[in-house]
Amino acid sequence: MAKLLLISLSLCFLLLFHGSLARQRQDLCRLDRLRALEPDQRIPCEAGMIETCNPDHEQFRCAGVAVVKPTIRSSGLLCKNMDQQQKQQVTSYRRGDIIALPGGVPHWHYNNGNEEIVAISVIGTADNIVNQLDNNPRNFYLAGNPVNKFANQYERLFEHGQQQYFLRTLGQQGSCNNVFCGMGVNLTSEVFNIDPELASKLIAEDDERGHIVRVNGKFDIVTPMSNSQGENEQYPIGGDESFCTLKMKANIADPSSTDVYYPGVGGVSNVNSHNLPILELLQLSASRVVLHKDTMMLPIWNTNADSIIYVEKGDGRVQIVDHEGRSVFDSKVTEGQVLTVPRSYVASSRAQSDILEYVVFKTNGNAITYSLAGRTSVFRALPVDVITNAFQISEKDARTFKFNRVEHLLIKKND
């Protein structure tokens, strides 16, 4: 599965996991109306909370993704897939980091700061070699007894005659939800050459702490040192060089990395396979948009990627037109909402609060984006005579239409 995670508040980073997002779209993307969605399931944990959106919603099915929002409190340890190997890479992250991991790689996250970390994780669920059973999100837990984040979804599918084997397996194992539960005490003891008491602790059948547990006392692990540029170094600890030496993160919130910037208007930053090559393997990328009050992102569309918009801060208005020229969304969006924009749908946004910040996750490592208006728009590339005849307007009007908007992507209202 491919997965992308945005952490906001004092820290902000994006996390992506490997997975090809190729799929059959004809029956999944016939969307007459789009909606700005919010998490509809909340799972409390000892040191935080996990929130999820229903992955069976038609918008997520179209994009081939699921969305999870973990909140990690200070001294919280997110036990996603705990590492039982000796080979690992330890790295620190900061606000705006994109962290990329191949699917199925064991990983964990520890909050060693004083403030909460809030993340948005976009998981690729489309047909691929990592999630090959079906398009439903699933996690493989090596430790703890976390609640299945998408349990309600599986139950609903079961009522429609799907996922029968998966649910029966869960029922046989009771409430336990890690790999050792199925192995049992005897096999676990034999495999790891440990006594049954320790094996029972690993099975953790009575552990009710959830996905995010509190670390009591010192968290004793080797961490990267900062270099002279203030960046955290990455290095393997007994690691496999083919994986642990890969560049696996890039920052999307650093002002120095902004691709488009207009003072008092806003900016756009991109992370894709060009500046983080591993994203070519993952087939995921991201953009971050910052708009000041009464500024607008000109209409754009992607030809080879669906977009998942997460509103990180502020309020705004988004308008979306589908490939048949129908308005499918024209409404306010607020902090914490998620909105899917299928490929070939034209979308524009404007800030209604003092500042609007949102992140766009794209289902391609190098999404091809076109502008409808502005200095680099498709109409700028068309001859005046083509515009004149296509729209039945005068040559003067065609030139005005083609050249009047000189900005690129971002404009101030009434500019």
Side-chain angles (χ1 to χ4, degrees), residues 86-108:
Q86 294 181 356
K87 301 175 180 179
Q88 60 178 305
Q89 181 184 102
V90 178
T91 183
S92 298
Y93 50 78
R94 60 191 176 98
R95 186 179 189 272
D97 274 355
I98 297 281
I99 301 177
L101 294 175
V105 173
H107 58 280
W108 50 264

Side-chain angles (χ1 to χ4, degrees), residues 73-314:
R73 300 193 193 106
S74 179
S75 299
L77 177 65
L78 175 60
C79 308
K80 275 290 294 192
N81 296 328
M82 288 298 294
D83 196 344
Q84 295 290 334
Q85 307 172 29
Q86 294 181 356
K87 301 175 180 179
Q88 60 178 305
Q89 181 184 102
V90 178
T91 183
S92 298
Y93 50 78
R94 60 191 176 98
R95 186 179 189 272
D97 274 355
I98 297 281
I99 301 177
L101 294 175
V105 173
H107 58 280
W108 50 264
H109 306 281
Y110 175 63
N111 182 1
N112 61 353
N114 296 321
E115 299 185 53
E116 288 184 340
I117 295 175
V118 180
I120 289 295
S121 175
V122 177
I123 307 170
T125 60
D127 296 334
N128 59 77
I129 60 174
V130 183
N131 193 44
Q132 56 185 306
L133 294 180
D134 50 44
N135 289 351
N136 295 306
R138 53 175 49 81
N139 291 290
F140 179 70
Y141 295 104
L142 297 179
N145 185 22
V147 176
N148 181 1
K149 295 190 294 290
F150 301 103
N152 292 343
Q153 173 61 17
Y154 288 127
E155 291 170 5
R156 193 171 70 79
L157 289 172
F158 177 70
E159 293 172 0
H160 286 79
Q162 302 179 31
Q163 293 297 312
Q164 296 182 19
Y165 174 78
F166 182 82
L167 281 178
R168 287 171 185 164
T169 300
L170 284 182
Q172 291 169 357
Q173 304 307 329
S175 61
C176 194
N177 191 22
N178 68 58
V179 66
F180 300 119
C181 301
M183 294 173 59
V185 172
N186 293 336
L187 181 57
T188 301
S189 300
E190 181 179 5
V191 167
F192 290 93
N193 191 26
I194 57 178
D195 59 60
E197 183 179 355
L198 178 54
S200 180
K201 291 180 180 179
L202 294 178
I203 292 174
E205 189 169 358
D206 298 324
D207 191 342
E208 298 180 352
R209 295 177 298 167
H211 300 75
I212 307 171
V213 302
R214 181 180 297 108
V215 174
N216 297 311
K218 184 179 179 181
F219 190 65
D220 190 13
I221 189 168
V222 179
T223 57
M225 302 296 291
S226 296
N227 60 28
S228 58
Q229 283 74 39
E231 295 290 335
N232 291 310
E233 296 175 349
Q234 298 184 107
Y235 61 93
I237 302 177
D240 182 348
E241 294 298 316
S242 64
F243 168 70
C244 289
T245 59
L246 290 174
K247 180 182 178 182
M248 307 190 72
K249 70 175 182 179
N251 193 273
I252 203 171
D254 191 331
S256 64
S257 65
T258 302
D259 297 294
V260 178
Y261 175 71
Y262 294 107
V265 177
V268 179
S269 304
N270 300 293
V271 171
N272 52 39
S273 60
H274 294 299
N275 50 12
L276 192 58
I278 195 174
L279 298 184
E280 179 66 27
L281 175 67
L282 275 60
Q283 282 302 292
L284 289 169
S285 57
S287 299
R288 184 170 184 265
V289 178
V290 177
L291 299 176
H292 295 281
K293 188 174 178 62
D294 295 327
T295 63
M296 178 182 182
M297 178 85 164
L298 292 171
I300 59 173
W301 75 93
N302 299 317
T303 61
N304 64 343
D306 302 309
S307 297
I308 300 89
I309 298 173
Y310 172 72
V311 182
E312 184 182 356
K313 181 180 180 181

